[in-house]
Amino acid sequence: MAELKPILLVEDNPNDLELTLTALERSMLANEVITTRDGVEALDWLLSRGPHANRDPGDPAVVLLDLKLPKVDGLQVLERIKSDADLRHIPVVMLTASKEERDLVRSYELGVNAFVVKPVDFKEFFKAIQDVGMFWAILNEPHPPRSRSTPMKVTKG
């Protein structure tokens, strides 16, 4: 059986963080949930640097990324993930209260895998988080692992 990858949750709002963690827990997912509170901490975790330099190796099953974050915003984190050859295969779900079309368009331009607007209604929010967690952590077939030290071979045909 494949090892369960963690879910990386990047959320600065304490209420949204608590609700999201509760919803994921009630989904009965066995995946560990790693939480970071801003874009810098999320990138430090993903890149195994700074306070996360000695973390267990491996990528998350999915990054649940808030759009409006302190220090480095969600779009900047997304851009960094999708521009890095070692990280771009990681699914990123933008989880935001923003309904602005420019945020949606920019997220997809940068390579987001899904854009979920946080419902205002408590029950809807819970259901949305549970569905997102189940899909990306259980149902989605992830990119096959590859060594970060081994470059991908490109063949011309």
Side-chain angles (χ1 to χ4, degrees), residues 9-83:
L9 172 59
V10 188
E11 176 61 70
D12 66 313
N13 180 305
N15 293 330
D16 286 352
L17 178 65
E18 184 178 339
L19 283 174
T20 303
L21 289 172
T22 302
L24 289 170
E25 183 179 307
R26 289 192 186 167
S27 308
M28 306 291 278
L29 293 174
N31 305 66
E32 176 185 12
V33 179
I34 307 293
T35 59
T36 59
R37 301 289 189 128
D38 61 58
V40 170
E41 187 181 359
L43 289 171
D44 284 349
W45 192 91
L46 286 164
L47 297 167
S48 299
R49 66 183 186 196
H52 302 285
N54 296 320
R55 74 168 177 85
D56 290 337
D59 295 323
V62 63
V63 176
L64 303 179
L65 181 61
D66 188 22
L67 185 65
K68 309 291 187 203
L69 294 169
K71 297 183 183 177
V72 174
D73 73 27
L75 289 173
Q76 292 169 306
V77 172
L78 174 64
E79 184 171 24
R80 178 67 172 92
I81 291 169
K82 295 303 181 179
S83 67

Side-chain angles (χ1 to χ4, degrees), residues 87-102:
L87 301 177
R88 72 174 54 133
H89 67 277
I90 300 170
V92 178
V93 176
M94 198 63 78
L95 196 58
T96 179
S98 175
K99 291 184 179 181
E100 293 186 34
E101 186 175 339
R102 70 171 187 238

